[in-house]
């Protein structure tokens, strides 16, 4: 193997997923060399010692293919300046880097590390910022140690910073002790990466702990796909397929033995099925049983009558259809009620009527929804504050050790209410529903409202559908389309699609279909519609009022490419628009962005959409304004937190759940065949308040309309409810 030393001068290309780097290295003789290989994203100015081999690329010529590397501290002022200004050190941008190097010269890094208080000698740097810079440099140095440690086992290390943030200075010890813990503890690192490390460390291919880790991994993966359990044989089959090789065969019996071990340790629960056994992660098993038992207790609970209050309601404002009147009466007489219906069937009016009747009767009522957007709409529709379910349950950092989060409202400290009304219940997964039910006090009514034909929750379970299917609790279906909604082709076409009928594509004022089958032409049409035609036609804001929704991620008409193209068209670069590059994404002032993880400290949640209002490259900060119940709320992200944000000019159908947009534009093409499903199309269309524009082919549309194969989720909630109700609770 050949060695090469030099200073990293330019990064030509970096792929965050594959960790493939193409860069220019200047050696001691001043020669530039192209280096390639799977490496972390180094910063320009870093001194590298590389081991590898020379290869001849047929297009790009002679290159040095890297197999191992070491990172040395920058040795001259230019290298130090480039390193500090790389964006990897929080609080330091190009201008601050210049000041630090100008003041301290070659000693800059040593002073930051050993005497960070001296940074205050520089104008514009206070004690707080000096401490942040020193801490960030220390983290960077520790991360590079982690990277070196991980690369010694031949694995990609793009997630080294996350690993270090999780374990700190104990990273090497903890990973060495049990590499499989990475899959459970570190966001974005799965079993396969952890397994690669374990095998490189000498773990035997048929080691019991490896089999158990695989069982836990595939059970967790099933949860991410919406399942509460997996049939035993299916789980064992997945593990055998994943781990067995011709050199190291693996039998079902060997996997079954380790599964039994997990069951004896109560990590998993095995439960008899008709012709197999269900394998649950223990928390989900207990949660599903609790939800079933608790729902029937609420349904059967005697409701205390309240005194009439001084609230006076003008009932003439509520012109209710028979089903709505039935819903109001059942809400008064029952402890538990489910109300379901499609768009335009009056779910919101029914909620308002129930709320008014409850308030008039002197009941204390709490309103909530799964997302901030849905809670905001609920507040606007009812005039009463609604919260997200997490806020309602006071989800916050755990007191004492400060590790993790916990729900402040539970069975020991229940909600103070006589009635709780939850909207958009189709989005609520079983774990969150479990925590909600734990906080419902004895004698409190629970009203669940949602559209059962929407996509199910992103998390595990299918709560609304299971409750309705069980036929164990009162359900009112709203099916009448009201006059004002009946004029809307969005509403009538959504109901047609839901019934397996082709939508009416012509003669509409708010529902349009453009026939085109070439993806590149559809892309141009989408760009033109969003940037020019629709804003002029409807007098709308091109970014705030128009939402592109698409089923796929990685095609010409997928989320990723559409976002790049729409950003260029709707928010192009300009001298007055500050921007910051993070990995493969350029974030620009004014960009429409989406939060893709629940962040309870910032109180922003998966699916929240906002606009970038400020970018500070100097301190590595981005500020995003999110619409909130009380107005715009601004949230600050450090550069290392930008993996929680994505561009949101185009979003997936799943991410659109719980939202409403004035105008929805959606490609419907046969290239998206795998996701041409009725409930996906229905969900996307029902996100639009004023106009829908579909672009594609009638063939693709017909495939979606006729494909009513609802994704099977392994749950037993409906079965448990029906069984317990049949036995008299």
């Amino acid at each position: 193997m050949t060695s090469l030393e030099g200073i990293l001068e330019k990064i030509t290309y970096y792929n965050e997923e594959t960790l493939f780097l193409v860069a220019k290295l200047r050696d001691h003789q001043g020669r530039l060399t192209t280096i390639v290989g799977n490496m972390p994203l180094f910063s320009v100015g870093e001194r590298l010692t590389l081991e590898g081999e020379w290869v001849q690329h047929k297009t790009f010529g002679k290159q040095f293919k890297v197999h191992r590397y070491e990172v040395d501290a920058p040795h001259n002022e230019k290298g130090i300046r480039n390193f500090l200004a790389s964006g990897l050190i929080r609080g330091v941008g190009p201008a601050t880097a210049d000041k630090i190097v100008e003041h301290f010269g070659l000693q800059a890094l040593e002073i930051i590390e050993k005497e960070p208080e001296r940074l205050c000698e520089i104008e514009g740097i206070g004690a707080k910022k000096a401490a942040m810079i020193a801490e960030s440099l220390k983290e960077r140095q520790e991360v590079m140690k982690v990277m070196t440690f991980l690369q010694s086992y031949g694995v990609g290390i793009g997630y080294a910073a996350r690993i270090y943030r999780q374990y700190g200075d104990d990273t090497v010890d903890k990973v060495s002790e049990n590499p499989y813990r990475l899959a459970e503890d570190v966001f974005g690192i799965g079993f396969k990466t952890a397994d690669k490390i374990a095998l490189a460390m000498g773990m035997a291919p048929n080691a019991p702990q490896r089999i158990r880790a695989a069982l836990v991994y595939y059970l967790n993966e099933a949860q991410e796909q919406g399942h509460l359990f997996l049939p035993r044989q299916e789980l064992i089959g997945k593990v055998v397929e994943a781990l067995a090789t011709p050199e190291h065969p693996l039998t079902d019996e060997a996997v079954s033995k380790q599964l039994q071990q997990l069951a004896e340790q109560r990590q998993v629960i095995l439960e008899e099925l008709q012709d197999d056994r269900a394998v649950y992660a223990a928390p989900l098993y207990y949660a599903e049983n609790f939800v079933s038992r608790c729902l029937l207790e609420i349904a059967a609970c005697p409701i205390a009558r309240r005194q009439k209050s001084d609230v006076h309601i003008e009932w003439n404002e509520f012109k209710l259809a028979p089903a709505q009147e039935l819903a109001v009466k059942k809400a008064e007489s029952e402890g538990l009620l489910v109300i379901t219906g499609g768009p335009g069937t009056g779910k919101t009016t029914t909620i308002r009527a129930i709320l008014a009747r409850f308030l008039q009767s002197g009941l204390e009522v709490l309103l909530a929804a799964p997302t901030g957007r849905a809670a905001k709409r609920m507040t606007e529709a009812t005039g009463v504050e609604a919260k997200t379910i997490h806020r309602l349950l006071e989800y916050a950092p755990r007191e004492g050790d400060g590790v993790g989060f916990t729900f402040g409202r539970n069975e020991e400290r229940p909600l103070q209410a006589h009635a709780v009304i939850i909207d958009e219940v189709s989005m609520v997964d079983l774990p969150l529903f479990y925590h909600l039910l734990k906080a419902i006090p004895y004698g409190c009514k629970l009203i669940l409202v949602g559209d059962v034909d929407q996509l199910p929750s992103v998390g595990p379970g299918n709560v609304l559908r299971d409750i309705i299917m069980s036929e164990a609790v009162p359900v009112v279906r709203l099916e009448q389309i009201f006059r004002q909604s009946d004029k809307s082709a969005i509403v009538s076409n959504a109901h047609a699609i839901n019934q397996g009928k082709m939508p009416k594509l012509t003669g509409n004022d708010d529902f349009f279909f453009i026939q085109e089958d070439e993806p590149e032409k559809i892309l141009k049409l989408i760009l033109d519609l969003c940037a020019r035609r629709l804003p002029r036609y409807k007098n709308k804001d091109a970014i705030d009022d128009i939402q592109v929704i698409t089923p796929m991620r990685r095609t010409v008409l997928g989320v990723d490419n559409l976002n790049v193209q729409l950003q260029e068209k709707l928010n192009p670069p300009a001298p007055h628009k500050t921007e910051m590059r993070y990995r493969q994404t350029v974030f620009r002032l004014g960009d429409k962005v989406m939060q893709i993880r629940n962040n309870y400290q910032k109180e922003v949640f998966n699916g929240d959409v906002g606009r970038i209002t400020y970018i500070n490259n100097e301190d590595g900060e981005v500020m995003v304004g999110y619409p909130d119940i009380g107005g715009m709320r601004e949230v600050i992200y450090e550069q290392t937190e930008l993996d929680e944000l994505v561009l949101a000019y185009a979003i997936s159908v799943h991410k659109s759940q719980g939202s409403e947009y004035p105008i929805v534009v959606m490609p419907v093409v046969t290239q998206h065949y795998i996701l041409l499903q009725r409930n996906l199309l229905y969900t996307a269309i029902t996100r639009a308040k004023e106009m829908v524009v579909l672009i594609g082919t009638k063939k693709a549309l017909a495939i979606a309309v006729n494909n009513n194969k609802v994704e099977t989720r392994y749950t037993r909630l409906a079965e448990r409810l029906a069984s317990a109700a049949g036995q008299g609770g």
Side-chain angles (χ1 to χ4, degrees):
M1 213 173 308
T2 306
S3 295
L4 183 67
E5 295 183 19
I7 306 296
L8 192 68
E9 185 153 304
K10 180 184 178 183
I11 295 173
T12 307
Y13 171 79
Y14 189 68
N15 187 309
E16 183 63 31
E17 290 187 9
T18 62
L19 314 177
F20 186 72
L21 174 77
V22 180
K24 297 288 186 182
L25 189 83
R26 191 171 292 279
D27 65 17
H28 302 312
Q29 283 77 43
R31 295 171 301 200
L32 270 180
T33 299
T34 299
I35 63 170
V36 299
N38 288 41
M39 290 171 275
L41 183 57
F42 300 121
S43 58
V44 170
E46 287 189 299
R47 188 189 192 100
L48 306 177
T49 300
L50 309 173
E51 290 184 7
E53 58 183 325
W54 292 100
V55 295
Q56 188 72 28
H57 192 281
K58 61 181 181 182
T59 303
F60 301 111
K62 192 177 183 182
Q63 299 176 333
F64 189 78
K65 186 176 181 180
V66 179
H67 295 299
R68 290 180 56 82
Y69 61 83
E70 290 182 11
V71 183
D72 304 318
H75 72 295
N76 58 33
E77 290 190 0
K78 181 182 177 183
I80 294 171
R81 183 183 289 107
N82 287 340
F83 171 70
L84 289 173
S86 65
L88 296 169
I89 308 300
R90 291 193 303 278
V92 180
T96 302
D98 286 342
K99 291 178 185 177
I100 292 173
V101 174
E102 187 178 328
H103 192 77
F104 296 118
L106 292 173
Q107 293 181 296
L109 294 180
E110 185 179 353
I111 285 169
I112 293 172
E113 185 178 355
K114 298 178 180 177
E115 302 176 81
E117 65 278 0
R118 288 191 59 193
L119 287 170
C120 297
E121 297 171 14
I122 298 171
E123 185 181 352
I125 298 182
K128 185 177 178 182
K129 187 170 181 177
M132 178 174 70
I133 292 170
E135 180 63 29
S136 185
L137 177 63
K138 179 188 175 187
E139 181 177 313
R140 170 69 175 166
Q141 291 169 335
E142 291 295 334
V143 165
M144 291 312 295
K145 289 179 187 175
V146 172
M147 289 177 171
T148 303
F149 164 71
L150 290 174
Q151 74 157 0
S152 68
Y153 293 103
V155 298
I157 42 170
Y159 291 106
R162 285 182 185 166
I163 296 173
Y164 176 74
R165 284 204 296 270
Q166 179 71 28
Y167 301 132
D169 295 340
D170 298 328
T171 296
V172 173
D173 290 341
K174 289 194 173 182
V175 173
S176 299
E177 178 191 345
N178 178 15
Y180 291 110
R181 69 187 304 161
L182 289 170
E184 296 182 32
D185 294 346
V186 183
F187 173 74
I189 293 183
F191 169 79
K192 292 175 183 176
T193 301
D195 190 47
K196 195 172 182 181
I197 298 172
L199 290 173
M201 286 180 168
M203 177 80 70
N206 60 351
Q209 55 264 55
R210 185 182 186 224
I211 298 171
R212 290 197 297 270
L215 284 163
V216 171
Y217 165 71
Y218 283 106
L219 209 50
N220 289 336
E221 186 183 64
Q223 292 176 32
E224 292 176 8
Q225 294 167 357
H227 303 298
L228 294 180
F229 69 87
L230 277 181
R232 179 178 173 277
Q233 276 309 122
E234 185 174 331
L235 176 59
I236 289 174
K238 284 177 180 289
V239 172
V240 169
E241 184 180 355
L243 302 189
T245 64
E247 299 81 19
H248 302 282
L250 187 64
T251 64
D252 286 10
E253 289 72 24
V255 177
S256 180
K257 182 179 178 181
Q258 297 310 316
L259 180 60
Q260 191 60 40
Q261 178 107 18
L262 289 173
E264 289 170 6
Q265 296 167 356
R266 304 300 285 176
Q267 286 184 254
V268 303
I269 304 295
L270 302 179
E271 186 177 48
E272 292 299 326
L273 290 172
Q274 189 172 359
D275 52 1
D276 200 349
R277 301 185 84 184
V279 184
Y280 282 86
L284 286 182
Y285 173 80
Y286 294 120
E288 189 180 57
N289 276 278
F290 175 86
V291 166
S292 171
R293 189 170 62 251
C294 191
L295 281 173
L296 294 176
E297 288 173 359
I298 293 172
C301 181
I303 305 300
R305 294 286 177 184
R306 298 288 147 189
Q307 295 296 319
K308 292 285 185 181
S309 75
D310 294 330
V311 177
H312 295 288
I313 306 294
E314 180 53 61
W315 282 97
N316 290 333
E317 98 173 76
F318 297 108
K319 296 178 179 177
L320 303 179
Q324 291 175 306
E325 289 183 356
L326 177 63
V328 174
K329 289 176 183 176
K330 281 191 173 292
E332 288 186 293
S333 64
E334 303 285 353
L336 174 64
L337 176 66
V338 175
I339 301 170
T340 186
T345 57
K347 293 191 298 296
T348 300
T349 299
T350 306
I351 290 174
R352 288 174 57 226
I354 291 170
L355 176 63
R357 185 64 66 89
F358 282 176
L359 293 177
Q360 191 178 52
S361 300
L363 300 183
E364 293 179 36
V365 187
L366 294 174
L367 307 182
T371 67
R373 296 161 293 169
K376 184 171 184 286
R377 286 206 321 275
M378 202 177 183
T379 301
E380 292 167 348
T382 62
V384 174
E385 182 190 7
K387 298 179 179 180
T388 64
I389 297 174
H390 283 93
R391 283 188 187 173
L392 183 75
L393 300 180
E394 299 176 15
Y395 192 72
R398 194 186 306 275
E399 291 183 9
D401 58 13
V403 177
F405 289 76
T406 186
F407 290 93
R409 293 288 182 176
N410 49 41
E411 63 269 50
E412 295 175 0
R413 187 170 169 264
L415 295 166
Q416 299 298 304
H418 302 127
V420 174
I421 303 176
I422 308 293
D423 197 11
E424 297 282 3
V425 179
S426 63
M427 297 178 66
V428 179
D429 61 30
L430 187 106
L432 180 57
F433 197 58
Y434 161 77
H435 286 288
L436 172 67
L437 293 184
K438 284 178 72 177
I440 300 293
Y442 180 80
C444 179
K445 293 173 179 288
L446 180 60
I447 312 298
L448 305 174
V449 184
D451 183 349
V452 72
D453 294 312
Q454 298 280 2
L455 290 172
S457 58
V458 175
N462 205 343
V463 171
L464 183 61
R465 182 177 291 274
D466 283 352
I467 293 173
I468 293 172
M469 282 180 59
S470 74
E471 300 183 350
V473 302
V475 176
V476 174
R477 295 178 182 271
L478 304 180
E479 296 175 330
Q480 178 181 335
I481 301 174
F482 287 90
R483 204 176 315 158
Q484 64 271 28
S485 299
D486 201 26
K487 296 176 182 176
S488 164
I490 296 174
V491 172
S492 58
N493 278 338
H495 284 276
I497 289 167
N498 203 29
Q499 295 162 13
K501 301 173 185 174
M502 280 291 284
K504 180 187 174 191
L505 302 180
T506 59
N508 304 316
D509 294 327
D510 60 357
F511 193 104
F512 298 92
F513 177 79
I514 301 174
Q515 175 77 27
E516 180 55 65
D517 59 359
E518 293 185 28
E520 293 292 347
K521 289 183 178 178
I522 294 174
L523 175 61
K524 289 181 180 178
L525 273 169
I526 290 173
L527 296 177
D528 190 40
L529 281 163
C530 293
R532 185 180 63 87
R533 289 165 61 178
L534 289 172
R536 287 183 185 178
Y537 178 61
K538 296 290 285 185
N539 192 27
K540 295 293 184 183
D541 183 274
I543 297 177
D544 287 334
D545 297 330
I546 302 172
Q547 185 60 60
V548 178
I549 299 178
T550 182
M552 298 290 280
R553 289 209 66 83
R554 292 178 178 85
T555 63
V556 172
L557 298 173
V559 171
D560 297 338
N561 186 54
L562 279 170
N563 268 314
V564 171
Q565 302 293 334
L566 285 163
Q567 181 193 43
E568 186 67 25
K569 192 77 170 177
L570 302 179
N571 190 31
H576 67 280
K577 293 181 186 175
T578 321
E579 57 183 50
M580 181 184 293
R581 175 176 285 277
Y582 182 76
R583 297 178 179 170
Q584 299 301 104
T585 303
V586 173
F587 292 106
R588 187 172 296 133
L589 190 67
D591 270 340
K592 184 178 186 178
V593 292
M594 174 183 282
Q595 174 81 12
I596 58 170
R597 291 175 61 194
N598 288 337
N599 188 322
Y600 300 102
Q601 288 174 310
K602 297 183 187 296
E603 291 192 339
V604 285
F605 303 99
N606 189 355
D608 285 352
V609 174
R611 296 282 293 273
I612 294 178
T613 56
Y614 177 72
I615 295 177
N616 183 341
N617 277 301
E618 201 62 36
D619 293 337
E621 291 180 344
V622 172
M623 187 179 290
V624 178
Y626 290 99
D628 208 339
I629 293 169
M632 190 63 69
R633 186 171 66 89
E634 294 191 313
V635 176
I636 294 175
Y637 294 80
E638 293 180 1
Q639 192 165 351
T640 54
E641 297 174 314
L642 292 180
D643 58 354
E644 297 186 13
L645 290 178
V646 295
L647 295 176
Y649 299 98
I651 62 176
S652 69
V653 182
H654 282 89
K655 291 293 187 186
S656 74
Q657 281 182 276
S659 295
E660 285 186 351
Y661 314 99
I663 301 174
V664 166
V665 177
M666 182 182 185
V668 186
V669 293
T670 51
Q671 285 82 358
H672 295 167
Y673 183 87
I674 193 170
L675 286 176
L676 289 176
Q677 298 168 8
R678 186 186 299 175
N679 62 348
L680 273 163
L681 181 62
Y682 173 80
T683 299
I685 286 172
T686 54
R687 301 307 88 208
K689 290 192 290 187
E690 299 176 28
M691 180 181 291
V692 169
V693 181
L694 302 180
I695 311 170
T697 65
K698 291 179 182 177
K699 178 183 178 182
L701 193 59
I703 291 171
V705 169
N706 291 316
N707 181 6
N708 194 33
K709 184 183 177 184
V710 177
E711 180 185 352
T712 300
R713 290 194 169 194
Y714 291 122
T715 79
R716 302 193 77 186
L717 179 59
E719 186 181 336
R720 293 186 201 283
L721 283 166
S723 175
Q727 295 167 14

